[in-house]
Amino acid sequence: MREGENILLSALYYGINKAISEVLGPGGMVVGRRASKEMVNFLKDEGILKDDMSFDDIKKLYVNEFELSEDLSIEDNGKEVIFTIIKPTLTIYREKMKDEKIEPYVSPFIYLLADIYEKINNGRFKLTLKQVDSQSDSIKVVFKKINC
């Protein structure tokens, strides 16, 4: 096990995604998005997410409390929202997913960030996944904005 790696969380995400992939295939995207919405609801119910949070608050939560990366940046150009997850954790999970070519239907690096970002922007738009570019030390996740 790697130092600082949350092996149980890696196993959980890996197991969920592998099962979704084997049972639902590409239809798993719907399950992944729904699961992230329930994660956001859970975090709100527990008082961790609040309606008046800024992106800096979310960044601190994601980096310092959840310990999912060393840093997080966001670019909102009006048409797209680009999250850059710098030095993400859960390395074992990410490597196994890549090696086995399993789609990350439920991932703290994709839909959870999108749902949180939609919430802090009061639902003025929805985000739909456009592209994921995974490097060894970062993940760039691009979402297209759809105005509501």
Side-chain angles (χ1 to χ4, degrees), residues 62-78:
Y62 193 84
V63 172
N64 299 333
E65 299 299 320
F66 297 163
E67 298 178 348
L68 290 171
S69 67
E70 283 189 20
D71 202 2
L72 175 67
S73 70
I74 187 167
E75 177 189 345
D76 186 336
N77 64 23

Side-chain angles (χ1 to χ4, degrees), residues 59-110:
K59 178 180 171 179
K60 288 176 190 170
L61 189 64
Y62 193 84
V63 172
N64 299 333
E65 299 299 320
F66 297 163
E67 298 178 348
L68 290 171
S69 67
E70 283 189 20
D71 202 2
L72 175 67
S73 70
I74 187 167
E75 177 189 345
D76 186 336
N77 64 23
K79 293 182 180 184
E80 295 176 335
V81 177
I82 302 163
F83 297 101
T84 303
I85 300 133
I86 301 157
K87 294 190 178 176
T89 59
L90 304 180
T91 308
I92 297 169
Y93 152 72
R94 292 184 303 109
E95 287 174 356
K96 282 188 74 67
M97 296 287 289
K98 185 177 179 182
D99 290 347
E100 296 182 28
K101 295 177 178 55
I102 299 170
E103 289 293 323
Y105 296 118
V106 177
S107 172
F109 305 115
I110 300 178

Side-chain angles (χ1 to χ4, degrees), residues 7-55:
I7 194 70
L8 183 59
L9 199 53
S10 278
L12 176 66
Y13 277 110
Y14 171 77
I16 288 169
N17 283 291
K18 181 144 184 168
I20 289 172
S21 179
E22 289 178 358
V23 173
L24 299 175
M29 288 178 69
V30 174
V31 174
R33 190 64 193 241
R34 184 71 179 114
S36 68
K37 287 187 184 306
E38 291 305 323
M39 291 168 73
V40 167
N41 289 338
F42 179 88
L43 294 170
K44 281 188 83 168
D45 290 347
E46 294 299 312
I48 295 167
L49 292 178
K50 297 172 180 54
D51 290 332
D52 60 347
M53 294 179 86
S54 68
F55 182 72

Side-chain angles (χ1 to χ4, degrees), residues 124-140:
R124 294 189 315 254
F125 52 82
K126 294 288 183 193
L127 297 177
T128 183
L129 184 62
K130 182 177 179 183
Q131 176 184 347
V132 177
D133 181 21
S134 185
Q135 304 296 318
S136 61
D137 65 343
S138 68
I139 303 170
K140 186 176 280 193

